[in-house]
Amino acid sequence: MGPLHLAYLAPVIFISRRLAPDSPLRQWAAVRGESIHAQSLLTFAPVPFDLPTNAQWWFFYSARAVQFAGEIPTEVRTAAIGTSTAERLYAATQHVDFCGNGHPDRVAEDFLAVAQGDRVFFPRARQSRLSIQTALADRIKVLDAVCYDNQPVPPAAPISADTYIFTSPLNVAAYLDHYPLPEGARVLAMGPSTGGGAGAPGGGECVACGGGGGGAGGVAGLSLVRRRVPTYTPSALSRELLDS
């Protein structure tokens, strides 16, 4: 009997968004001998809304909100919750007056320092956590409008992967409310809100290890540890992933 040859199965990385064929993440995975399963678990649709007439600021929670907000008046100041949103906002307006670090508590504190008492318009998703406007409701004038609808679309069957990258809290719920994670799977939660508020301080990425359960809160129910993604920088990840 000749030698037994075992088939090699490339590790699979699932990411909860669509990726272009020339995506840097695809290139990174190919170099490492891993395959990518890219599938958004959300649908998006524009929602008609009335423009505010007296806003001093427009504050954006996501790059998607920039996309669906339409033309942003040139006379208003603009704010973004984090760098990925700021990049999309700058592409649309050629200026960003405030950029937070993505952690809602810190963003609210920093934004208050420049906008206390001002009229701030929040064009947002229908299923938004309203984190900044809720935290500052008694110290700014909140002008609110839903500019797009975001609905979860759970997969028809469990997705088999070694690593799961979730790009928003709603993507987490769309999967973990219906299917458990495989035992030993790693989960990368992009951003503190996606990580259920348990973001890793000091620049590390949040990764959940082991079999997690479903239910509201998603990643919040998993065991989170600090981990940096090898050879693929957080800044590149944020540009590539945080569009949902």
Side-chain angles (χ1 to χ4, degrees):
M1 177 182 291
L4 179 63
H5 296 282
L6 300 178
Y8 171 74
L9 297 178
V12 177
I13 300 172
F14 165 75
I15 178 170
S16 64
R17 65 154 294 175
R18 293 183 296 273
L19 295 178
D22 61 349
S23 155
L25 185 59
R26 290 190 186 277
Q27 298 170 15
W28 171 83
V31 169
R32 293 174 55 86
E34 303 188 27
S35 63
I36 294 285
H37 179 153
Q39 177 183 348
S40 176
L41 304 180
L42 307 178
T43 60
F44 303 96
V47 173
F49 66 96
D50 294 327
L51 291 173
T53 57
N54 59 348
Q56 295 164 279
W57 289 86
W58 281 35
F59 188 104
F60 293 91
Y61 287 115
S62 69
R64 192 79 61 177
V66 178
Q67 173 188 346
F68 286 108
E71 186 173 352
I72 301 169
T74 57
E75 67 272 14
V76 303
R77 303 179 73 183
T78 58
I81 195 168
T83 55
S84 179
T85 302
E87 288 175 359
R88 181 67 66 88
L89 182 57
Y90 184 82
T93 65
Q94 299 304 302
H95 76 280
V96 176
D97 298 292
F98 173 87
C99 176
N101 69 355
H103 294 257
D105 290 345
R106 179 60 185 270
V107 173
E109 178 183 338
D110 291 345
F111 185 60
L112 182 63
V114 296
Q116 184 165 2
D118 288 350
R119 297 181 298 277
V120 183
F121 177 52
F122 292 86
R124 60 172 177 85
R126 187 180 304 280
Q127 299 199 53
S128 170
R129 294 192 169 193
L130 311 178
S131 55
I132 306 303
Q133 61 202 83
T134 300
L136 302 181
D138 59 342
R139 288 170 286 181
I140 62 173
K141 173 62 176 178
V142 173
L143 308 173
D144 177 78
V146 172
C147 68
Y148 72 100
D149 197 14
N150 54 338
Q151 294 294 330
V153 182
I159 295 170
S160 179
D162 302 280
T163 300
Y164 294 77
I165 302 177
F166 291 105
T167 55
S168 74
L170 199 54
N171 271 294
V172 172
Y175 192 84
L176 294 186
D177 282 357
H178 298 271
Y179 306 107
L181 294 172
E183 188 68 31
R186 296 186 307 164
V187 175
L188 173 62
M190 298 303 300
S193 295
T194 308
E205 303 295 339
C206 286
V207 174
C209 301
V219 171
L222 301 174
S223 173
L224 292 168
V225 298
R226 290 180 58 185
R227 185 182 185 94
R228 185 175 297 280
V229 180
T231 72
Y232 197 74
T233 65
S235 60
L237 277 171
S238 67
R239 288 192 297 271
E240 180 71 24
L241 308 179
L242 295 178
D243 285 339
S244 51

